[in-house]
Amino acid sequence: MAAGFTGFEITWRKEVFSGAPQAGSAEKFGTIGINFRARKPGR
Amino acid sequence: MSEQQTGTPVDVEVLREAIKEEYAEVAAHPDKGFHFHTGRPLARILEYEDGWLAGIPESSIESFAGTGNPFSLGELRPGEKVVDVGCGAGIDSLIAAGMVGPEGRVVGVDMSPDMLGKARRAADEAGRENVEFRPGYGEELPVEDGWADVVISNGVLNLMPDKSAALAEMHRALTPGGRLQVGDILVQKAVPEGAKQDIDLWTG
């Protein structure tokens, strides 16, 4: 991962745009919500 | 910051203005209906715990527009210092303020004056004195080097034209050993180069 982080991990993926009031580009590009974490080295 | 300076396929100032306009609408008219969910229904989709929202004014919750759940990556500890990048109307900053307690401190940063206004009023209403909101961009965080134990962000990194600069700023703001806990989006299909120049696709 960029910027010197370590331990990058995506922990969760979910379709978070489906059923939204307005149509957007999410379905077209397969866009999903994610959670990720990483750590700055040094301790 | 121009397109040439960042290497992004859009004019940065034009993009920022478009995003400000979009989120001014989310601040002023959260029930209008957007291409994303908002408010408490979104919090349920993103698996926020009811207890986290206790004591947070509805004015903040109604304009919630995140895409993930930074707190699912680990609760924040009492006394910790937190930066919330792209804090919007302040829901995550206020949740964080509750988790870190009176000995902790939270700085929420956002480029939208409308959202910052809502966040500040919500913090006053909630009586949370350990949180403050500062204007700024993710690529230029108004936080001193190494200040934060944790940087959180939710649905904002994808809107930043220079993601490398934003991640570098998050790294700079963190103390050694500090944690990055982020909700964002993942695009699973290739986006054509032409589409990357379409401001409407950045905001919608």
Side-chain angles (χ1 to χ4, degrees):
Chain A
M1 184 181 178
F5 285 103
T6 61
F8 175 81
E9 179 184 15
I10 295 175
T11 63
W12 177 90
R13 301 163 189 247
K14 187 172 184 177
E15 287 192 10
V16 298
F17 294 100
S18 59
Q22 284 188 31
S25 57
E27 186 176 351
K28 183 176 180 181
F29 295 112
T31 308
I32 59 172
I34 61 169
N35 295 326
F36 71 85
R37 62 183 161 207
R39 183 175 287 270
K40 179 174 178 174
R43 195 167 58 191
Chain B
M1 203 178 299
S2 70
E3 172 184 339
Q4 287 72 29
Q5 285 173 304
T6 64
T8 55
V10 293
D11 184 292
V12 172
E13 293 308 320
V14 172
L15 174 61
R16 284 176 171 170
E17 285 308 308
I19 292 169
K20 284 179 185 174
E21 286 181 19
E22 174 87 348
Y23 285 89
E25 281 294 295
V26 180
H29 307 291
D31 295 327
K32 172 182 165 185
F34 299 89
H35 65 276
F36 42 81
H37 295 280
T38 55
R40 281 188 183 272
L42 174 62
R44 284 191 287 274
I45 291 169
L46 301 180
E47 302 169 16
Y48 275 53
E49 296 180 12
D50 290 342
W52 296 345
L53 302 180
I56 296 179
E58 284 300 323
S59 59
S60 177
I61 296 172
E62 68 181 2
S63 292
F64 177 44
T67 59
N69 183 338
F71 307 105
S72 73
L73 296 158
E75 287 206 26
L76 309 179
R77 297 190 278 266
E80 288 191 316
K81 296 176 182 172
V82 180
V83 176
D84 180 8
V85 180
C87 63
I91 180 174
D92 284 347
S93 293
L94 294 171
I95 292 171
M99 289 179 175
V100 302
E103 302 303 316
R105 190 151 185 84
V106 179
V107 172
V109 178
D110 206 281
M111 69 174 183
S112 165
D114 303 84
M115 285 294 196
L116 284 171
K118 287 196 90 168
R120 287 174 177 141
R121 289 190 293 275
D124 287 345
E125 186 180 336
R128 296 203 172 161
E129 298 178 350
N130 59 341
V131 58
E132 68 172 290
F133 296 97
R134 300 176 182 172
Y137 297 107
E139 300 95 329
E140 305 164 43
L141 289 174
V143 179
E144 64 188 83
D145 294 359
W147 181 82
D149 298 296
V150 187
V151 169
I152 62 173
S153 185
N154 197 351
V156 173
L157 189 57
N158 68 91
L159 296 171
M160 295 183 197
D162 191 342
K163 292 165 181 54
S164 294
L167 287 167
E169 273 296 89
M170 293 172 178
H171 188 275
R172 179 190 64 76
L174 281 169
T175 190
R179 291 118 60 203
L180 181 65
Q181 300 184 186
V182 174
D184 212 82
I185 62 170
L186 182 69
V187 178
Q188 300 181 105
K189 297 178 185 175
V191 179
E193 283 304 313
K196 292 178 183 175
Q197 299 171 24
D198 184 347
I199 293 285
D200 288 340
L201 284 179
W202 281 76
T203 60

